[in-house]
Coordinates of all heavy atoms in Angstrom, one line a residue:
A14 N 1.6 -14.5 -2.7 CA 1.0 -15.4 -3.8 C -0.4 -15.7 -3.7 O -1.3 -15.6 -4.6 CB 1.8 -16.6 -3.9
E15 N -0.9 -15.9 -2.4 CA -2.3 -16.2 -2.2 C -3.2 -15.0 -2.4 O -4.3 -15.2 -2.9 CB -2.5 -16.7 -0.7 CG -1.9 -18.0 -0.4 CD -2.1 -18.5 1.1 OE1 -3.3 -18.2 1.6 OE2 -1.2 -19.0 1.7
L16 N -2.7 -13.8 -2.2 CA -3.4 -12.6 -2.5 C -3.3 -12.1 -3.9 O -3.9 -11.1 -4.2 CB -2.9 -11.5 -1.5 CG -3.0 -11.8 0.0 CD1 -2.5 -10.6 0.8 CD2 -4.5 -12.0 0.4
G17 N -2.5 -12.8 -4.7 CA -2.3 -12.4 -6.1 C -1.4 -11.1 -6.2 O -1.6 -10.4 -7.2
L18 N -0.5 -11.0 -5.3 CA 0.4 -9.8 -5.3 C 1.8 -10.2 -5.8 O 2.3 -11.2 -5.5 CB 0.6 -9.2 -3.8 CG -0.7 -8.9 -3.1 CD1 -0.4 -8.3 -1.8 CD2 -1.6 -8.0 -3.8
S19 N 2.3 -9.3 -6.6 CA 3.7 -9.5 -7.1 C 4.7 -9.2 -5.9 O 4.5 -8.3 -5.1 CB 4.0 -8.5 -8.2 OG 5.4 -8.3 -8.4
D20 N 5.7 -10.0 -5.8 CA 6.7 -9.8 -4.7 C 7.3 -8.4 -4.9 O 7.6 -7.8 -3.8 CB 7.8 -10.9 -4.8 CG 7.3 -12.2 -4.3 OD1 6.6 -12.3 -3.3 OD2 7.7 -13.2 -5.0
A21 N 7.4 -7.9 -6.0 CA 8.0 -6.6 -6.2 C 7.2 -5.5 -5.5 O 7.7 -4.4 -5.2 CB 8.1 -6.3 -7.7
L22 N 5.9 -5.8 -5.3 CA 5.1 -4.8 -4.6 C 5.5 -4.4 -3.3 O 5.3 -3.3 -2.8 CB 3.6 -5.3 -4.6 CG 2.5 -4.3 -4.5 CD1 2.5 -3.2 -5.6 CD2 1.2 -5.0 -4.4
A23 N 6.2 -5.3 -2.6 CA 6.7 -5.0 -1.2 C 7.7 -3.9 -1.2 O 8.0 -3.3 -0.2 CB 7.3 -6.3 -0.6
H24 N 8.4 -3.7 -2.4 CA 9.3 -2.6 -2.5 C 8.8 -1.4 -3.2 O 9.5 -0.4 -3.5 CB 10.6 -3.2 -3.3 CG 11.2 -4.4 -2.6 ND1 12.1 -4.3 -1.5 CD2 11.0 -5.7 -2.9 CE1 12.4 -5.6 -1.2 NE2 11.8 -6.4 -2.0
D25 N 7.6 -1.4 -3.7 CA 6.9 -0.3 -4.3 C 6.9 0.8 -3.3 O 6.5 0.7 -2.1 CB 5.5 -0.7 -4.8 CG 4.7 0.5 -5.3 OD1 4.8 0.7 -6.5 OD2 4.0 1.1 -4.5
A26 N 7.1 2.0 -3.7 CA 7.2 3.2 -2.8 C 5.9 3.5 -2.1 O 5.9 3.6 -0.8 CB 7.7 4.4 -3.6
R27 N 4.8 3.5 -2.8 CA 3.5 3.8 -2.2 C 3.0 2.6 -1.3 O 2.5 2.8 -0.2 CB 2.4 4.1 -3.2 CG 2.6 5.4 -3.8 CD 1.5 5.8 -4.7 NE 1.3 5.0 -5.9 CZ 0.3 5.0 -6.8 NH1 -0.7 5.8 -6.5 NH2 0.3 4.3 -7.8
F28 N 3.3 1.4 -1.7 CA 2.9 0.3 -0.9 C 3.7 0.3 0.4 O 3.2 0.0 1.5 CB 3.3 -1.0 -1.7 CG 2.7 -2.3 -1.1 CD1 1.4 -2.8 -1.5 CD2 3.5 -3.0 -0.2 CE1 0.9 -3.9 -0.9 CE2 3.0 -4.2 0.3 CZ 1.7 -4.7 0.0
R29 N 5.0 0.5 0.3 CA 5.9 0.6 1.5 C 5.4 1.7 2.4 O 5.4 1.5 3.6 CB 7.3 0.8 1.1 CG 8.2 0.9 2.3 CD 9.7 1.1 1.9 NE 9.9 2.5 1.4 CZ 10.2 2.7 0.1 NH1 10.4 1.7 -0.7 NH2 10.4 3.9 -0.3
R30 N 5.0 2.9 1.8 CA 4.6 4.0 2.7 C 3.3 3.6 3.4 O 3.2 3.9 4.7 CB 4.4 5.2 1.9 CG 5.7 5.9 1.5 CD 5.4 7.1 0.5 NE 4.6 8.1 1.1 CZ 4.1 9.2 0.4 NH1 4.4 9.2 -0.9 NH2 3.4 10.1 1.0
L31 N 2.3 3.0 2.7 CA 1.1 2.6 3.4 C 1.3 1.7 4.5 O 0.8 1.8 5.7 CB 0.1 2.0 2.4 CG -1.2 1.6 3.0 CD1 -2.1 2.8 3.4 CD2 -2.0 0.8 2.0
F32 N 2.1 0.6 4.3 CA 2.3 -0.4 5.3 C 3.4 -0.1 6.3 O 3.8 -0.9 7.1 CB 2.4 -1.8 4.7 CG 1.1 -2.2 4.0 CD1 0.9 -2.2 2.7 CD2 0.0 -2.6 4.8 CE1 -0.2 -2.6 2.1 CE2 -1.2 -2.9 4.3 CZ -1.3 -3.0 2.9
S33 N 3.9 1.1 6.3 CA 4.8 1.6 7.2 C 4.1 2.8 7.9 O 4.7 3.6 8.7 CB 6.2 2.0 6.8 OG 6.1 3.0 5.8
G34 N 2.8 3.0 7.7 CA 2.0 4.0 8.5 C 1.6 5.2 7.8 O 1.1 6.1 8.5
D35 N 1.9 5.4 6.5 CA 1.5 6.6 5.8 C 0.3 6.5 5.0 O 0.3 6.1 3.8 CB 2.7 7.1 5.0 CG 2.5 8.5 4.4 OD1 1.4 9.1 4.6 OD2 3.4 8.9 3.6
A36 N -0.9 6.8 5.6 CA -2.2 6.6 4.9 C -2.4 7.7 3.9 O -3.4 7.6 3.2 CB -3.3 6.5 5.9
S37 N -1.5 8.7 3.8 CA -1.8 9.8 2.9 C -1.6 9.3 1.4 O -2.1 10.0 0.5 CB -0.8 11.0 3.1 OG 0.5 10.6 2.8
V38 N -1.1 8.1 1.2 CA -1.0 7.6 -0.1 C -2.2 7.0 -0.6 O -2.2 6.5 -1.8 CB 0.2 6.6 -0.2 CG1 1.6 7.2 0.2 CG2 -0.1 5.4 0.6
A39 N -3.3 7.0 0.2 CA -4.5 6.3 -0.2 C -5.0 6.9 -1.5 O -4.9 8.1 -1.7 CB -5.6 6.5 0.9
T40 N -5.5 6.0 -2.4 CA -5.9 6.5 -3.7 C -7.2 5.7 -4.1 O -7.5 4.7 -3.5 CB -4.8 6.2 -4.8 OG1 -5.3 6.7 -6.0 CG2 -4.6 4.7 -4.9
G41 N -8.0 6.3 -5.0 CA -9.2 5.7 -5.4 C -10.2 5.6 -4.2 O -10.5 6.5 -3.5
A42 N -10.8 4.4 -4.0 CA -11.7 4.1 -3.0 C -11.1 3.9 -1.6 O -11.8 3.7 -0.6 CB -12.5 2.9 -3.4
M43 N -9.8 3.9 -1.5 CA -9.1 3.7 -0.2 C -9.4 4.8 0.7 O -9.5 6.0 0.3 CB -7.6 3.6 -0.4 CG -7.1 2.5 -1.1 SD -5.3 2.4 -1.2 CE -5.0 1.2 0.1
R44 N -9.6 4.5 2.0 CA -9.8 5.5 3.0 C -8.5 6.0 3.5 O -7.5 5.2 3.6 CB -10.6 4.9 4.3 CG -11.9 4.2 3.9 CD -12.9 5.1 3.4 NE -14.1 4.4 3.0 CZ -15.2 4.0 3.7 NH1 -15.2 4.4 5.0 NH2 -16.2 3.4 3.2
P45 N -8.3 7.3 3.7 CA -7.0 7.9 4.1 C -6.8 7.8 5.6 O -6.0 8.5 6.2 CB -7.2 9.3 3.7 CG -8.6 9.7 3.8 CD -9.3 8.4 3.5
W46 N -7.4 6.8 6.3 CA -7.3 6.6 7.7 C -7.6 5.1 8.0 O -8.2 4.4 7.2 CB -8.2 7.4 8.6 CG -9.6 7.8 8.0 CD1 -10.0 8.8 7.4 CD2 -10.8 6.8 8.1 NE1 -11.3 8.7 7.0 CE2 -11.8 7.5 7.5 CE3 -11.0 5.6 8.7 CZ2 -13.1 6.9 7.4 CZ3 -12.2 5.0 8.6 CH2 -13.3 5.7 7.9

């Protein structure tokens, strides 16, 4: 809530992949490492 994130984001496939260690989902200005 403080970050302005929807709770549903925790179950989003790409969000879950990034925060379980898969940086290949990086998009836009995100760094892939």
Side-chain angles (χ1 to χ4, degrees):
E15 289 180 44
L16 300 179
L18 308 181
S19 162
D20 285 320
L22 201 58
H24 304 280
D25 174 90
R27 287 190 292 173
F28 191 90
R29 181 181 67 245
R30 285 175 61 189
L31 179 67
F32 290 107
S33 60
D35 185 358
S37 70
V38 299
T40 185
M43 293 183 102
R44 308 291 172 94
W46 37 263

